[in-house]
Amino acid sequence: MAEPGAEPILEVRGLVKHYPLTRGVLFRKQVGAVRAVDGVDLRLERGRTLGIVGESGCGKSTLARMLVHLERPTAGEIRYKGEDITRLSGRALKAVRRNIQMVFQDPYTSLNPRMTVGDIIGEAYEIHPEAAPKGERRSRVQHLLDVVGLNPEYINRYPHQFSGGQRQRIGIARGLALRPEIIVADEPVSALDVSVQAQVINLMGRLQSEFELSYVFIAHDLSIVRHISDRVGVMYLGRIVETGSHTEIYDHPTHPYTQALLSAVPVPDPRSREHRERIILAGDVPSPTDIPSGCRFRTRCWKAREQCALEIPALAVPAGYRLTTGPTAHASACLFAEEKQVARAGAASENGPG
Ligand code: ADP
Ligand code: MG
């Protein structure tokens, strides 16, 4: 694992994806844009997990697709080991793509129902034949099935013969086939029963150390990434509004949006449940075609003042607030960022009994 401050394995700067909104069939005219991802900075340390959390529609999947080169950014840089990979093509791009793989959200739709499990997992070797000699592919796939906790004898079965959790294990095995360094997991457990979610998250944790993987782990809920994230980025309407270490985000959130998300996380301990205040956000998330001026969260924020409509808050360490600076700082995109004791889910167990 890297020292904090060492060169990150993946770094994103000013990443933007705007989808044009057009009108007219013959004379298509651009009338606006869906600002799905609107200026994101991220940093992933080798061997660590960066959790990305935000409500549906805030741009998480668009971000994930850009990271694995399924989609080209409108602007910005994606640096893999220091090199901007957004402009790569041909062989250089292929080599990088091999090292950054994706696990998709829905294991029911992301596995081709007409292909056997063996063909699904081994498909990557058709695209990257150099990754495994032909004669070894079958045994590699069987080994991968074993690694994700499935019987290697299932290699000739079809996706419909598996449960949701098993299917996501197949999706993970497919992601591992090329022995990548980075896995971008886009809500890998959101489509699964709650009882199965923890098993899949535990499996991913185990595979992380076994295969020395770095994860970008996406979820719509802070409770899902709680046990697997080293750092967390909270996303709102195409931007990161708060980022920090696991402890900073869960125990000392400073952005009103993070505080609201945390206040909605169930607290297992009834003692801490009594002290907490549930923050209900006003209204709905605005459309990414029509992002509010100034702070994009202000239309739902209970702290919003006049200034919030005029000034765009930078993702920065609140003035006079904490001592950490630099790329691993606890930063918050709020003009009035401050700690507020909310949620503290699991706080009692962290502080020990009594
Ligand atoms: P999330 O994964 O957080 O739910 P998405 O990245 O899927 O969010 O979507 C972010 C926004 O971008 C949404 O408003 C969505 O409708 C829009 N969007 C996503 N893909 C496209 C596309 N190909 N064309 C136009 N709009 C898109
Ligand atoms: Mg999504």
Side-chain angles (χ1 to χ4, degrees):
M1 277 194 200
E3 296 296 313
E7 185 181 69
I9 190 163
L10 197 70
E11 191 171 25
V12 165
R13 292 187 195 158
L15 200 64
V16 171
K17 183 72 194 185
H18 289 178
Y19 297 104
L21 271 181
T22 55
R23 197 163 50 201
V25 181
L26 282 180
F27 303 99
R28 292 177 77 83
K29 189 173 162 228
Q30 187 172 341
V31 292
V34 182
R35 289 153 69 183
V37 173
D38 205 27
V40 161
D41 294 349
L42 294 176
R43 189 184 158 92
L44 174 64
E45 233 78 50
R46 188 185 287 274
R48 302 290 173 102
T49 299
L50 172 67
I52 300 288
V53 171
E55 285 163 286
S56 173
C58 73
K60 304 180 298 294
S61 295
T62 306
L63 172 65
R65 289 198 301 270
M66 288 192 281
L67 295 181
V68 300
H69 264 274
L70 286 175
E71 192 127 44
R72 245 178 206 288
T74 308
E77 290 181 356
I78 301 171
R79 294 185 164 270
Y80 165 69
K81 296 179 182 168
E83 183 191 14
D84 181 14
I85 58 173
T86 55
R87 281 163 197 83
L88 292 182
S89 58
R91 200 183 297 189
L93 173 61
K94 209 174 161 192
V96 169
R97 286 188 76 163
R98 197 183 142 172
N99 284 321
I100 311 177
Q101 292 290 317
M102 180 125 155
V103 172
F104 293 90
Q105 172 168 3
D106 189 348
Y108 293 92
T109 57
S110 62
L111 306 180
N112 186 335
R114 282 184 287 272
M115 280 167 73
T116 65
V117 164
D119 287 339
I120 288 170
I121 299 172
E123 197 178 18
Y125 302 135
E126 306 289 328
I127 304 159
H128 297 270
E130 77 288 355
K134 256 203 158 95
E136 285 178 21
R137 290 181 194 168
R138 195 178 162 84
S139 62
R140 285 223 193 175
V141 169
Q142 284 172 322
H143 174 67
L144 284 166
L145 284 170
D146 187 42
V147 158
V148 299
L150 293 173
N151 188 337
E153 286 171 18
Y154 294 168
I155 189 165
N156 293 323
R157 295 194 180 184
Y158 290 87
H160 75 266
Q161 295 174 284
F162 295 88
S163 69
Q166 288 174 323
R167 284 188 214 205
Q168 196 54 300
R169 287 171 193 263
I170 295 165
I172 292 168
R174 172 175 62 183
L176 288 175
L178 297 170
R179 295 295 310 267
E181 295 177 290
I182 299 170
I183 289 209
V184 178
D186 185 12
E187 301 204 39
V189 300
S190 299
L192 305 179
D193 286 348
V194 176
S195 59
V196 186
Q197 289 184 345
Q199 294 171 16
V200 173
I201 291 176
N202 289 343
L203 169 70
M204 288 187 68
R206 184 166 61 70
L207 295 172
Q208 177 162 46
S209 29
E210 201 170 324
F211 291 87
E212 297 174 336
L213 293 163
S214 310
Y215 285 150
V216 176
F217 197 110
I218 295 170
H220 59 255
D221 178 332
L222 271 163
S223 65
I224 289 175
V225 294
R226 184 177 181 91
H227 296 291
I228 197 164
S229 302
D230 299 295
R231 288 185 70 78
V232 178
V234 178
M235 214 169 159
Y236 185 80
L237 263 185
R239 285 249 177 130
I240 302 287
V241 296
E242 181 165 4
T243 178
S245 70
H246 182 277
T247 316
E248 286 163 343
I249 295 295
Y250 285 93
D251 293 349
H252 310 284
T254 61
H255 195 286
Y257 182 56
T258 314
Q259 292 168 349
L261 287 182
L262 271 174
S263 82
V265 168
V267 178
D269 181 349
R271 280 171 305 175
S272 43
R273 206 179 295 156
E274 281 165 25
H275 303 298
R276 94 206 194 106
E277 173 197 348
R278 173 85 194 263
I279 301 166
I280 309 284
L281 293 177
D284 294 323
V285 186
S287 161
T289 59
D290 192 15
I291 290 177
S293 68
C295 171
R296 58 191 61 208
F297 180 60
R298 71 177 163 84
T299 54
R300 301 176 74 202
C301 183
W302 72 93
K303 285 168 107 182
R305 312 174 201 179
E306 220 169 297
Q307 200 183 339
C308 301
L310 305 171
E311 200 177 322
I312 298 177
L315 183 62
V317 180
Y321 186 67
R322 263 175 200 283
L323 295 174
T324 53
T325 52
T328 55
H330 177 194
S332 196
C334 175
L335 299 174
F336 305 102
E338 60 185 348
E339 242 182 82
K340 177 176 168 65
Q341 289 297 320
V342 287
R344 304 267 299 153
S349 60
E350 274 157 25
N351 296 337

